[in-house]
C-alpha cells in the first residue's frame, strides 16, 4: 500500500467526500435532482461531494489548479499541478439505486498523470496508484489480467446516450468487438471500468466521448498495474481525443485493431 504524503492527502479527501455520498445514496429517493442535459443528471449529492473534495485538496495543496465536473476549470497559482475531480462517476446508476458508482481524483504534474484514487463507497473498494510505486486495491497490489487472446477476454465499453456521440459508429464498433471476444460489459462508470481493468476483473475497455475527469485517475492506475492506455484510435493522448482504450499489451493491441477495422 502506498503511504506517501500525497496519497494520504488524496485518500483522506476522498474518504471525507464518500461519507457524504453514502448518506445521500441511502436517501436517493429524496434527493433534489436537476437536469443539465439529456441523460446527464446532476444531484445535490454530486455538488456537495465535489465541494468537500475541492476544499480538502485546496487546504492540503494550496495553489494547485482544478478540472472538475460541476465547477469546471479553476486555474491555480501553481501552473505545474492540476487536480482532476469527478465526485460521482456513475450518476445515473446512483439516481436509480444501482450500486455501481465512485469518486475519482487524479493529479497531473507538468502534463503527466502522477497519482490517482478511485473509491467505490458501496463496496468499500479503494483503487490507488502513484507513478513508479505500483497500483493497489485496498492493501493488495494490482496487476492487469494475463489473458493473451481477445477470444478469451471480457471487454467493457461505454454506450452513447441521448444527444451524445455517434450511435451508428458505436454500433459498428460494438458489432466487431462482440464477434471477437468472450463477452462485452457496460457498467456505467468510466472510472470503475478502468479500475476493473487494472485489477484484472475486465481484460479491456474502450469508450468515446469521455471527459478528462472521468478517466484521469484511471489512466495512472491502469498503467501502474502494468496495462497500456491510449485513445480509442491508438493515439497517445486520451485527454485530447476524449476517448480511451486499455488492457494488457496484447489485449490492448487486439482491441485497437478491431475498433480500427470497424471504422474503415
Amino acid at each position: 500500500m502506498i503511504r506517501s504524503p500525497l496519497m494520504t492527502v488524496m485518500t483522506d479527501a476522498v474518504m471525507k467526500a464518500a461519507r457524504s455520498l453514502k448518506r445521500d445514496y441511502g436517501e436517493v429517493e429524496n434527493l433534489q435532482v436537476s437536469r443539465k442535459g439529456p441523460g446527464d443528471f446532476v444531484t445535490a449529492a454530486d455538488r456537495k461531494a465535489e465541494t468537500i473534495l475541492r476544499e480538502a485538496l485546496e487546504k492540503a495543496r494550496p495553489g494547485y489548479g482544478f478540472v472538475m465536473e460541476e465547477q469546471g476549470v479553476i486555474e491555480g497559482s501553481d501552473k505545474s499541478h492540476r487536480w482532476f475531480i469527478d465526485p460521482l462517476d456513475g450518476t445515473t446508476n446512483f439516481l436509480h439505486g444501482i450500486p455501481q458508482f465512485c469518486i475519482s481524483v487524479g493529479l497531473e504534474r507538468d502534463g503527466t498523470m502522477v497519482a490517482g484514487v478511485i473509491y467505490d463507497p458501496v463496496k468499500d473498494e479503494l483503487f490507488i496508484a502513484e507513478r513508479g510505486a505500483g497500483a493497489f486495491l485496498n492493501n493488495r497490489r494490482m496487476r492487469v489480467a494475463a489473458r493473451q487472446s481477445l477470444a478469451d477476454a471480457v471487454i467493457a465499453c461505454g454506450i452513447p446516450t441521448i444527444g451524445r456521440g455517434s450511435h451508428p459508429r458505436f454500433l459498428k464498433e460494438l458489432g466487431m468487438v462482440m464477434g471477437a471476444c468472450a463477452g462485452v460489459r457496460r457498467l456505467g462508470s468510466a472510472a470503475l471500468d478502468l479500475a476493473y481493468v487494472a485489477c484484472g476483473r475486465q481484460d479491456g475497455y474502450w469508450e468515446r466521448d469521455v471527459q478528462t475527469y472521468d478517466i484521469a485517475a484511471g489512466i495512472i492506475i491502469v498503467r501502474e498495474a502494468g496495462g497500456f492506455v491510449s485513445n480509442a484510435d491508438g493515439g497517445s493522448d486520451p485527454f485530447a481525443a476524449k476517448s480511451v482504450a486499455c488492457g494488457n499489451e496484447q489485449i490492448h493491441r487486439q482491441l485497437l485493431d478491431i475498433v480500427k477495422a470497424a471504422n474503415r
Side-chain angles (χ1 to χ4, degrees):
M1 187 80 168
I2 305 165
R3 303 196 183 278
S4 68
L6 173 61
M7 195 52 58
T8 298
V9 163
M10 294 175 73
T11 54
D12 285 352
V14 165
M15 290 302 183
K16 186 175 181 181
R19 288 193 289 273
S20 171
L21 212 55
K22 282 194 282 190
R23 283 194 299 270
D24 286 332
Y25 182 65
E27 300 178 7
V28 67
E29 69 278 5
N30 298 320
L31 288 176
Q32 298 175 12
V33 180
S34 62
R35 307 236 353 222
K36 76 175 177 187
D40 192 1
F41 301 98
V42 186
T43 66
D46 201 334
R47 293 188 292 268
K48 186 164 54 178
E50 186 172 272
T51 297
I52 291 169
L53 288 164
R54 179 186 170 185
E55 289 176 351
L57 294 171
E58 272 185 331
K59 183 177 180 181
R61 294 291 188 273
Y64 285 17
F66 288 86
V67 179
M68 298 178 285
E69 181 180 18
E70 303 303 332
Q71 299 174 57
V73 176
I74 297 175
E75 297 292 339
S77 57
D78 181 337
K79 303 304 181 185
S80 294
H81 293 89
R82 290 194 298 174
W83 299 110
F84 288 81
I85 295 176
D86 192 340
L88 176 51
D89 188 49
T91 307
T92 303
N93 284 347
F94 183 92
L95 283 174
H96 287 78
I98 300 169
Q100 184 73 7
F101 57 87
C102 67
I103 298 169
S104 176
V105 177
L107 179 63
E108 180 188 69
R109 179 180 298 133
D110 295 324
T112 299
M113 295 308 303
V114 296
V117 172
I118 295 171
Y119 182 59
D120 179 339
V122 174
K123 303 176 192 68
D124 191 28
E125 291 188 330
L126 181 68
F127 303 85
I128 67 171
E130 194 168 350
R131 193 175 185 198
F136 295 81
L137 167 52
N138 294 342
N139 290 313
R140 179 174 58 84
R141 187 158 190 142
M142 289 191 292
R143 296 292 296 177
V144 292
R147 294 179 187 87
Q148 298 296 294
S149 172
L150 202 60
D152 300 322
V154 168
I155 303 297
C157 67
I159 299 176
T161 55
I162 302 169
R164 280 191 167 188
S166 170
H167 293 219
R169 182 182 196 179
F170 170 73
L171 290 173
K172 285 173 61 180
E173 293 176 354
L174 177 63
M176 293 284 284
V177 174
M178 283 191 327
C181 73
V184 176
R185 301 290 182 266
R186 195 281 199 261
L187 301 180
S189 167
L192 284 177
D193 278 326
L194 286 158
Y196 282 16
V197 170
C199 72
R201 292 175 183 167
Q202 296 172 161
D203 299 285
Y205 160 62
W206 96 102
E207 184 169 359
R208 298 187 184 275
D209 302 295
V210 291
Q211 299 298 320
T212 55
Y213 47 74
D214 294 327
I215 60 175
I219 286 172
I220 181 68
I221 291 173
V222 170
R223 286 175 174 161
E224 285 297 314
F228 288 71
V229 185
S230 68
N231 69 38
D233 298 303
S236 61
D237 191 349
F239 281 8
K242 291 192 173 181
S243 70
V244 66
C246 65
N248 67 29
E249 184 175 10
Q250 295 295 327
I251 297 298
H252 179 244
R253 186 178 69 248
Q254 293 169 47
L255 178 59
L256 287 176
D257 287 345
I258 292 287
V259 171
K260 287 176 184 177
N263 288 289
R264 290 192 186 119

